[in-house]
Amino acid sequence: IYQCDWSSDVCSSDLIKRIELLKFENPRLWLNVTCSKGTYIRALAHDMGERLGCGAYLRSLVRTRIGSYSIENACTVVSGKE
């Protein structure tokens, strides 16, 4: 599905466009992943853990954009009622 050079921030694939390290507090890291539809982020985390030899899983997942819709322009369910 994807091939990454884990020694750098270069990742090329039809599904994974970019992986950005936002924060690292051992043993946790926060990533911003730019990907196309059909990408399994949980599988990406699992594969990264296998590659690093330590195991990995998602603690949380936030979709910040889909198509032209972004989280910056979103409203909460409560504010949407007004």
Side-chain angles (χ1 to χ4, degrees):
I1 294 175
Y2 52 82
Q3 290 189 348
C4 293
D5 177 358
W6 298 109
S7 64
S8 70
D9 60 350
V10 177
C11 188
S12 62
S13 144
D14 291 338
L15 298 177
I16 305 291
K17 307 297 182 199
R18 193 177 108 216
I19 299 176
E20 177 186 4
L21 177 63
L22 301 176
K23 182 175 165 182
F24 176 71
E25 292 178 0
N26 197 12
R28 296 184 182 139
L29 57 90
W30 287 255
L31 300 175
N32 185 345
V33 178
T34 304
C35 58
S36 62
K37 65 180 180 178
T39 304
Y40 293 98
I41 299 300
R42 287 176 180 83
L44 175 64
H46 174 267
D47 293 350
M48 289 175 72
E50 278 194 345
R51 189 74 181 256
L52 294 169
C54 62
Y57 66 93
L58 292 184
R59 182 172 179 177
S60 67
L61 175 64
V62 177
R63 185 183 301 252
T64 59
R65 192 183 81 172
I66 183 166
S68 62
Y69 299 102
S70 69
I71 199 166
E72 290 85 18
N73 299 325
C75 61
T76 64
V77 174
V78 174
S79 68
K81 288 183 173 182
E82 297 172 2

